[in-house]
Amino acid sequence: MLSSLMMNYSVDTLKQRIEAAHLAGFIYQHQQHILVLQEPLTDQGETLSFFAQHETTSDQIGLQFAVKLDGNQLKFLIGATHSNQDRGYEIGAGNLKGEQKAFNLLYAFYNYPKAFYLVELPLFSNSAQLEQAIQEQLFSRPELNFIQTATKTNPRGQQVQWIKDYIVQQSLDMKVRIQTALL
C-alpha cells in the first residue's frame, strides 16, 4: 500500500496534505522536489522550537525537517545547524551545496551557524532505522562530539545523553506527523 501511495504524490499534493495537517506555519518549496517545514507547529498550532544548547560548551544544534520526492520514493530530511562561540567562521546560506540549499539558516541563535549537516532516509522507515541514520549521518561526526557530553540525570538516577535523545525524539515525532498527514 505504501509504495502505491507514494507513486500517486506530486509535490503539490504533498504540500496540500502537509498544509492541511497544520504541520508548519510556512512550507518552502525548493526546486521541484523538496518541501521544508518552516516554523513547525505543535498539534495545538503553537510554534515548536527545535533547538538545544550544551550547558557547558555553549554549542547549539538547530533542527529543520523536510520531505523530498525522489522519483517514486518519499524521503525524510533532517537539517541540523551547529553553532558555537567561535567567531572565526560563520556559514551563510550561500555556502550550502546541493540540496542543503533548501534549508534556511536564519535561526534565532545566540551565535551564527558554523556548520550544516543533512540526514536523509526513507520517510516510511521505522524508528530503529531513523535512529541508525541519525547515528551514522550526524552523531558519528567528530566535530559534533559535544553531543556525547551533554548528559543529565533522569528520575531513575541514570545518566542520559539528552541532546542525542532530544534530536532523535523530535525527528521521530515530526516524521510520524508527516507520515500521518500523507496517509
Side-chain angles (χ1 to χ4, degrees):
M1 176 180 161
L2 290 179
S3 60
S4 64
L5 175 75
M6 289 184 278
M7 292 177 71
N8 295 328
Y9 278 114
S10 67
V11 172
D12 290 335
T13 305
L14 290 171
K15 189 173 183 180
Q16 289 171 2
R17 292 275 181 109
I18 292 170
E19 286 174 340
H22 303 289
L23 298 180
F26 177 73
I27 299 170
Y28 168 70
Q29 182 174 336
H30 178 72
Q31 297 177 355
Q32 297 299 315
H33 64 291
I34 296 177
L35 300 174
V36 180
L37 283 68
Q38 302 281 331
E39 301 173 17
L41 302 173
T42 65
D43 288 332
Q44 295 76 30
E46 299 169 2
T47 303
L48 279 173
S49 173
F50 291 113
F51 166 77
Q53 179 171 323
H54 193 285
E55 56 277 358
T56 58
T57 69
S58 297
D59 283 281
Q60 303 161 355
I61 290 285
L63 300 176
Q64 282 186 292
F65 304 103
V67 177
K68 175 182 171 184
L69 185 58
D70 187 12
N72 291 338
Q73 191 174 34
L74 293 175
K75 302 277 182 95
F76 179 61
L77 304 178
I78 304 166
T81 305
H82 174 215
S83 298
N84 59 31
Q85 297 286 333
D86 179 7
R87 297 198 182 276
Y89 176 72
E90 293 172 358
I91 190 171
N95 293 347
L96 300 179
K97 306 290 184 240
E99 292 179 345
Q100 292 180 349
K101 290 183 178 186
F103 292 86
N104 180 348
L105 291 179
L106 302 177
Y107 284 101
F109 280 1
Y110 299 111
N111 306 301
Y112 291 100
K114 304 298 190 293
F116 180 85
Y117 306 97
L118 189 61
V119 176
E120 182 175 321
L121 66 147
L123 178 64
F124 289 96
S125 58
N126 63 37
S127 59
Q129 292 166 320
L130 170 80
E131 195 164 350
Q132 180 180 358
I134 293 172
Q135 177 62 42
E136 291 173 357
Q137 298 176 45
L138 190 65
F139 296 155
S140 65
R141 296 180 168 277
E143 58 273 28
L144 297 177
N145 279 340
F146 74 91
I147 293 173
Q148 314 302 329
T149 65
T151 59
K152 290 186 179 180
T153 305
N154 70 15
R156 290 182 257 167
Q158 302 165 318
Q159 290 286 312
V160 294
Q161 293 178 319
W162 76 271
I163 291 181
K164 282 179 92 169
D165 291 350
Y166 176 81
I167 290 170
V168 170
Q169 189 59 53
Q170 296 301 320
S171 299
L172 179 60
D173 289 350
M174 187 54 76
K175 187 176 85 57
V176 169
R177 289 180 69 208
I178 292 169
Q179 287 172 323
T180 302
L182 299 180
L183 294 177

